Amino acid sequence: MSYILHYAPDNASLIIRAALELRGLPYTAQLVDRSTREQTSAPYRALNPNGLIPVLETPQGPIFETGAILLWLADTHGGLGPAPDDPARADFLKWLFFISNTLHSALRMMFYPEKFIAPAQTAALRRGLCQTLHQSFTTLDQAAAADPALFAGTSPTVLEPYIAALLRWSALYPGNHDRNWFALSNYPALHRICARLETLPLTQCLHITEGLGTHPFTDPHLPNPPIGSAT
């Protein structure tokens, strides 16, 4: 079984790439050219009618939505999260959906406020989101500190690359916005997750394929991909 990952550098697809690499699953990566808005093209919308990245093509058909792809991979292949009969499953699901529905959604509003509110109100929206994001990361940090077996156990789960990517983006984007609200050091348990991921082979893969650097989570810099554009 081999998959096709439709990706753009430093987009949500990096989370799926990291999960595939963590589990050692075979896949090919197909660039979605954001510079030409390929994600809005008819062929791409046939895979994801919402025109968002990523899409993972599977033998069961294309899957979109980052959280859905991660959960499907975890359940299909095991080793990326607690199995359905594992006592830790409920906690795994609640935090996966918190990360997806609360944190990731808030960051999307931070990056693209014009999609959600009138232009004159985008600055106010971003100020409010800074507070929301800080509180959400604090909540997640406290959970990770209280339950290291779930968030940083012997074998990484899909939670870890998802968390690390959101922290990375909070440090870097949007480029014209004051990010003084964010410091990774404010979230020590999450910092440890990021540091551990950087010891794994997936980090070298992300550096080679997407130009994210050798410390993409603890010391992030804007990407320098060999092909494609992050925006």
Side-chain angles (χ1 to χ4, degrees):
M1 182 185 297
S2 184
Y3 301 117
I4 300 174
L5 173 62
H6 295 262
Y7 85 101
D10 212 11
N11 279 231
S13 48
L14 80 84
I15 302 162
I16 308 304
R17 188 194 292 273
L20 293 166
E21 292 287 331
L22 272 177
R23 192 62 177 79
L25 298 173
Y27 70 98
T28 58
Q30 184 166 319
L31 178 69
V32 181
D33 189 352
R34 291 197 59 175
S35 68
T36 63
R37 294 189 55 77
E38 185 181 354
Q39 71 270 27
T40 66
S41 67
Y44 190 80
R45 285 188 181 274
L47 299 172
N48 182 352
N50 302 307
L52 298 174
I53 301 166
V55 167
L56 185 70
E57 289 194 68
T58 80
Q60 285 73 47
I63 309 176
F64 52 85
E65 294 296 325
T66 302
I69 299 171
L70 293 175
L71 183 56
W72 186 87
L73 287 172
D75 284 355
T76 300
H77 296 283
L80 292 171
D85 60 350
D86 190 310
R89 174 73 167 192
D91 282 342
F92 170 74
L93 289 177
K94 75 184 181 185
W95 290 116
L96 175 61
F97 282 89
F98 174 78
I99 293 164
S100 176
N101 295 351
T102 300
L103 269 167
H104 198 168
S105 295
L107 277 175
R108 179 167 170 76
M109 285 189 282
M110 175 77 86
F111 300 155
Y112 307 104
E114 68 282 356
K115 296 180 181 291
F116 301 94
I117 201 166
Q121 298 174 300
T122 56
L125 176 62
R126 278 178 166 159
R127 286 194 297 271
L129 286 169
C130 288
Q131 299 175 16
T132 298
L133 286 163
H134 173 61
Q135 182 56 59
S136 294
F137 279 129
T138 299
T139 298
L140 193 59
D141 186 71
Q142 292 168 348
D147 192 357
L150 178 64
F151 287 89
T154 304
S155 299
T157 73
V158 297
L159 298 180
E160 292 165 70
Y162 207 163
I163 291 167
L166 299 186
L167 291 164
R168 168 184 169 80
W169 298 331
S170 296
L172 293 176
Y173 302 110
N176 60 350
H177 178 63
D178 182 4
R179 291 183 299 280
N180 287 334
W181 70 273
F182 178 82
L184 182 57
S185 59
N186 289 334
Y187 319 109
L190 303 186
H191 185 284
R192 289 192 292 272
I193 287 172
C194 292
R196 183 169 84 148
L197 282 180
E198 291 178 349
T199 68
L200 303 179
L202 70 87
T203 295
Q204 180 67 8
C205 173
L206 292 173
H207 177 48
I208 293 171
T209 59
E210 304 195 18
L212 300 193
T214 56
H215 296 85
F217 308 121
T218 61
D219 186 22
H221 299 279
L222 290 174
N224 183 27
I227 58 172
S229 170
T231 58

